[in-house]
Amino acid sequence: MRTARAAAVLAGLAIAVAACGNAPSTTEEPAASGSAPASSAAGGEKSLQGVKLEVAAKWTGAEQKNFEQVLKAFTDKTGAEVTYASTGEDTGAYLGPRIQGNNPPDVAILPQPGLVQQYADQNALKPLSADVIKEIDTNYTPYWKELGSAGGQVYGVLIKAAHKSLVWYRAPAFDDAGVQPATTWDELVKNAQTIADSGTAPFSLCGASGWTLTDLFENVYLSSAGPENYDKLSKHEIPWTDPTVKVALEKIAQIVDKQEFLVDGTSGTMQTDFPTCVSKVYSNKKAAMVIEADFVAVEAVNSGAKVGEDAKYFPFPKAGDTAPVVLGGDVAVAMKDSPGAQALLQFLASKEGGEVWAKLPGYLSPNKNVSPDNYPDELTRQLGQTIVSAGDAVRYDMSDLAPSAFGGTDGKGEWKILQDFVRKPSDVKGAQEALEAEAKKAWK
């Protein structure tokens, strides 16, 4: 649900930035450049001439059109004829019957890494070829390779990202309070008190949308506990009653336990969904900050704000030794054993393929060799540079790595327990015990 929402609004990010006068919008189809992973044969004959491929992904609208330009660049290089099919928001509901009917698409784009394991267990995926794996080893950190693997085999490549480690703020509210963007958690809490004393609620939290609370926890936890513990907790290799979880929840309690820090108090917070929490900052001007991903830009513009002027962001402040960078994203896999499918995955995993896509609006690349200079606007360039600079410390959204019953279901599991915690932040121990009890059920 959360990643589907992110994908839908991320497509409009750069367009929204352009609409408010900060950047141009790219409309021309880019030409592929650089060395080709899917090479043409000698004498100019294209290596996949006559080959037909079907690619299925959830994207529609502007996102679909942009991805089709990437597919066109692949076609221009190889001669392969590629057909796009939209799965709709429920990728599993679309792919399930096709897998059962032995008629899957050649390539599918999965919205969560957890689906890689699920489909691998069903023998519905084809291992990546040596050429594709070589491209991954060249362009990605080992962490991303692991996310696309199951049972010792590499099946997928992460091709598109959403940046979730941001705090968006209303510049006039900061100016009125005389504060600057925080770089540490302690500074954030101090700034919040100063902003509250100036007469404005510092935070607009989207308490009715449980996934925003998991994003908050993940950033605090990655920073305070470190990447190694983050990996362990995401696999339930350490319990949610671990002291590292206590530290993270106690830090979150520093902002949710003060009524003056939350616009409309706790009660109002728990009735506020995303994107209403954004409008409370930029339309109603009742709060100074909203903690969420890059796609806040679209909702800020919808609220009448100008990105880069009154709507600005700063990196999620360090709550420990690690500067957190949490990403969501989409994983490309092969569902048919064909040279065309492997060649397309190789192209998507390459620096060349990433740079073709990066020139279009609404895209962030997890490929470390895709230069941020390729992005069409300054906001996206800054976000892209943050991903590159974080290197091995980047982590995928933890709740999207968990079984959906725990990490991705409204009114259940982590979503509900963190909502309960916001209502009663003094009960850290109770929240930990409830999280562990639900995790044990999900990881049976």
Side-chain angles (χ1 to χ4, degrees), residues 6 20 62 82-83 115 119 144 154 173 180 188 201 206 280 288-289 295 298 303 337 378 384 403 407 421:
C20 63
V82 186
T83 301
L115 291 174
Y119 291 134
W144 299 120
V154 186
Q180 297 295 319
L188 181 70
C206 330
K280 286 188 176 184
M289 290 178 278
F295 45 80
V298 177
S303 294
D337 193 8
E378 183 58 31
F421 175 68

Side-chain angles (χ1 to χ4, degrees), residues 118-242:
Q118 176 181 322
Y119 291 134
D121 290 343
Q122 297 175 16
N123 295 317
L125 303 181
K126 306 302 178 184
L128 299 185
S129 69
D131 286 339
V132 183
I133 293 174
K134 181 180 178 181
E135 207 71 55
I136 293 173
D137 289 339
T138 299
N139 297 315
Y140 293 81
T141 63
Y143 177 73
W144 299 120
K145 182 178 180 180
E146 180 183 346
L147 284 182
S149 301
Q153 293 277 5
V154 186
Y155 292 103
V157 54
L158 196 88
I159 57 172
K160 193 173 188 290
H163 197 307
K164 298 197 166 197
S165 297
L166 303 174
V167 179
W168 289 83
Y169 68 101
R170 184 164 49 86
F174 271 44
D175 293 341
D176 291 345
V179 299
Q180 297 295 319
T183 59
T184 68
W185 185 261
D186 289 344
E187 287 179 4
L188 181 70
V189 175
K190 182 179 179 181
N191 283 354
Q193 187 62 64
T194 302
I195 293 169
D197 291 343
S198 76
T200 297
F203 297 106
S204 178
L205 300 184
C206 330
S209 298
W211 56 268
T212 66
L213 301 180
T214 68
D215 287 350
L216 173 60
F217 172 82
E218 288 155 10
N219 276 287
V220 175
Y221 189 80
L222 176 58
S223 185
S224 60
E228 185 175 335
N229 282 320
Y230 186 98
D231 292 343
K232 290 178 180 178
L233 187 62
S234 69
K235 300 172 184 175
H236 199 220
E237 292 176 353
I238 57 175
W240 283 80
T241 51
D242 191 84

Side-chain angles (χ1 to χ4, degrees), residues 48-134:
L48 296 175
Q49 196 74 46
V51 172
K52 294 184 178 181
L53 296 172
E54 183 187 22
V55 180
K58 65 178 180 292
W59 302 315
T60 59
E63 266 194 317
Q64 177 181 332
K65 290 179 181 178
N66 289 342
F67 183 53
E68 286 175 339
Q69 290 194 45
V70 179
L71 296 177
K72 182 180 183 301
F74 174 73
T75 294
D76 290 344
K77 174 167 289 298
T78 65
E81 181 182 333
V82 186
T83 301
Y84 177 84
S86 177
T87 67
E89 293 296 349
D90 194 337
T91 301
Y94 176 89
L95 292 176
R98 295 198 58 178
I99 292 170
Q100 294 171 7
N102 293 317
N103 183 37
D106 295 270
V107 171
I109 315 295
L110 307 179
Q112 294 119 354
L115 291 174
V116 175
Q117 181 68 59
Q118 176 181 322
Y119 291 134
D121 290 343
Q122 297 175 16
N123 295 317
L125 303 181
K126 306 302 178 184
L128 299 185
S129 69
D131 286 339
V132 183
I133 293 174
K134 181 180 178 181

Side-chain angles (χ1 to χ4, degrees), residues 348-397:
L348 294 174
S350 70
K351 178 177 183 290
E352 176 192 4
E355 290 185 347
V356 169
W357 209 342
K359 292 179 174 67
L360 301 168
Y363 174 76
L364 286 171
S365 177
N367 184 322
K368 65 183 180 182
N369 290 321
V370 171
S371 170
D373 292 340
N374 289 279
Y375 294 119
D377 60 87
E378 183 58 31
L379 173 63
T380 317
R381 280 191 287 274
Q382 292 173 4
L383 294 172
Q385 185 59 55
T386 302
I387 296 173
V388 172
S389 300
D392 292 340
V394 174
R395 286 298 182 268
Y396 198 90
D397 183 299

Side-chain angles (χ1 to χ4, degrees), residues 328-344:
D330 302 281
V331 183
V333 297
M335 299 194 121
K336 287 185 179 178
D337 193 8
S338 68
Q342 297 290 339
L344 177 57

